[in-house]
Amino acid sequence: MRPVYVSAAAVVPFGKQPGRPAAELGAAAAAELLRGAGLSPDAVEAGFVGAVYGGSLIAQRVLQRVGVSGPPVFSVENACASSGAAAHLAWQAIAAGVYDCVLVAGVENLTAFGSGALPLTSADIEVEQGQVMPAAYAMRAQRYLHETTATVADLTAVTVKNRGNGALNPRAHFRKEVTAAEVDASRPVADPLQLMHCCPNTDGAAAVLLTSDGFARELGTPRTRIRASVIRSGRFHTSFRDMTWPDITERSARAAYGMAGLGPADLDLVELHDAFAIAELLHAEALGLADRGTAHKAVAGGEFHRDGRVAVSPSGGLLSRGHPVGATGASQLAECHWQLTGAAGALQVPGAEVALAHTTGGGIYGVDNGACSIHILTAED
């Protein structure tokens, strides 16, 4: 299999943009990507666009707006991992020698749903009983607090850290630091989660250009190599479900580390799927960033801060950057790419050479999560 590179990235700043439909947001990100790379639309050999609520033929509606018309394009829906899955499919195609230049985008406009929890599929027994994602994560949080020495203050510390990072990110939905007192004073959502323990519904789009080695050299833009690209789905069972262990993340990470020939200790930064504050603790442990039941101690000790042992969500994560679900995976890849090419500005993690992007999502009966994508990237000379 051939090596695959990220050769350019672009993100439409996240936030409430009710007047901009998903296709328009996606086209803006794709146009910025092509312009920044100095690339003609005719050079794009294929396109993969991830979205959850974008509607039929979202890939065509995005890419035709920027002149990518005629080559094969694919719309990808895989819950919160949609554009992570789109990147995986593009990676496969380039690694197999099918294409040399593929445009990957993720798009979403969630303003149409107003405030509150996003709608889940109605053809599901748990959803029909009233299950929503804040409630699912609240149950996970309650169990984690019960089984460890963590407290609600540790959940708040995650929010304070990530909102502090996001305050420096011009692409983030929330660009203001918050104090622990402000987090604790935010309104209750689902015990023990307060509003600021939850990511905001957001509109936005992101795009990354995946290329072969030869194409990357000809293009001449700063590049990063994708050392691993992994997708896993949740294992279905109706027996006991451990609410404190995201098995899908652990399995995906194990496969990605094996593919890359790297381990958790090699990571300089992780863009992690922190849709709720408890998610950072659970997924950090499943990724091997901390021993089980100790991630809250790592946060408290500064180990996950931007200048710590491994920077977790230096962009601000979903808690600050926002979570336009279809766009999250691609935006994480963009943030990792900029970190590894030294283009992250105020967000820069000193000496960053290895990064991991992680998305997981999709609450359906019988699985811990529906889909998970993990990419490991390294800096290139």
Side-chain angles (χ1 to χ4, degrees):
M1 297 179 71
R2 301 190 303 173
V4 180
Y5 296 86
V6 177
S7 290
V11 172
V12 171
F14 291 0
K16 297 295 185 183
Q17 304 177 64
R20 304 183 74 185
E24 181 182 320
L25 289 166
E32 183 181 335
L33 178 82
L34 295 174
R35 184 168 52 250
L39 191 66
S40 165
D42 294 336
V44 177
E45 298 173 296
F48 294 82
V49 178
V52 180
Y53 303 102
S56 176
L57 299 176
I58 186 64
Q60 285 86 342
R61 290 187 285 119
V62 166
L63 297 176
Q64 287 172 359
R65 281 171 162 81
V66 297
V68 179
S69 179
V73 299
F74 306 88
S75 299
V76 181
E77 188 279 307
N78 215 6
C80 304
S82 290
S83 57
H88 175 72
L89 294 172
W91 169 83
Q92 281 186 327
I94 295 173
V98 178
Y99 306 120
D100 290 299
C101 176
V102 179
L103 194 157
V104 175
V107 302
E108 213 75 73
N109 184 304
L110 301 180
T111 300
F113 296 109
S115 60
L118 291 176
L120 302 176
T121 176
S122 59
D124 185 273
I125 187 172
E126 291 185 351
V127 175
E128 290 175 352
Q129 297 298 315
Q131 179 70 291
V132 291
M133 295 313 294
Y137 278 93
M139 287 190 287
R140 291 168 181 162
Q142 289 284 20
R143 194 66 197 177
Y144 188 85
L145 300 186
H146 174 75
E147 293 189 1
T148 71
T149 59
T151 67
V152 174
D154 293 302
L155 304 180
T156 296
V158 173
T159 295
V160 171
K161 172 179 71 71
N162 292 354
R163 289 284 288 267
N165 288 339
L168 302 174
N169 189 347
R171 298 169 293 277
H173 183 135
F174 293 129
R175 304 175 193 173
K176 181 179 180 296
E177 294 183 2
V178 296
T179 65
E182 289 173 320
V183 177
D184 293 340
S186 63
R187 66 175 175 82
V189 172
D191 190 30
L193 301 179
Q194 306 292 114
L195 183 62
M196 288 190 186
H197 293 137
C198 312
C199 70
N201 292 345
T202 306
D203 308 326
V208 289
L209 190 72
L210 269 56
T211 66
S212 65
D213 180 45
F215 194 98
R217 291 180 185 277
E218 290 183 11
L219 190 61
T221 55
R223 63 179 184 163
T224 51
R225 183 170 174 180
I226 299 178
R227 295 284 179 173
S229 178
V230 169
I231 296 286
R232 291 291 185 270
S233 61
R235 286 176 171 163
F236 179 84
H237 63 85
T238 58
S239 58
F240 168 76
R241 189 185 309 176
D242 187 342
M243 300 296 285
T244 68
W245 188 248
D247 170 75
I248 191 172
T249 293
E250 189 276 330
R251 289 187 292 110
S252 301
R254 183 164 15 100
Y257 292 140
M259 184 182 297
L262 298 166
D266 298 306
L267 302 175
D268 296 306
L269 69 119
V270 173
E271 286 294 338
L272 180 148
H273 193 89
D274 60 329
F276 299 86
I278 183 60
E280 175 163 321
L281 305 182
L282 301 181
H283 291 304
E285 292 173 4
L287 290 169
L289 307 182
D291 291 337
R292 189 166 183 180
T294 68
H296 61 290
K297 298 178 181 178
V299 173
E303 295 179 45
F304 292 172
H305 285 61
R306 199 163 58 250
D307 58 354
R309 172 171 58 85
V310 53
V312 177
S313 296
S315 70
L318 282 60
L319 287 170
S320 184
R321 199 178 63 248
H323 186 27
V325 286
T328 290
S331 69
Q332 290 179 328
L333 288 172
E335 297 287 353
C336 289
H337 174 71
W338 289 323
Q339 285 283 356
L340 298 179
T341 56
L347 304 173
Q348 188 66 53
V349 174
E353 295 184 347
V354 184
L356 183 149
H358 160 267
T359 57
T360 184
I364 57 175
Y365 172 65
V367 299
D368 59 342
N369 274 285
C372 180
S373 75
I374 289 184
H375 291 85
I376 297 177
L377 294 80
T378 57
E380 290 289 306
D381 295 332

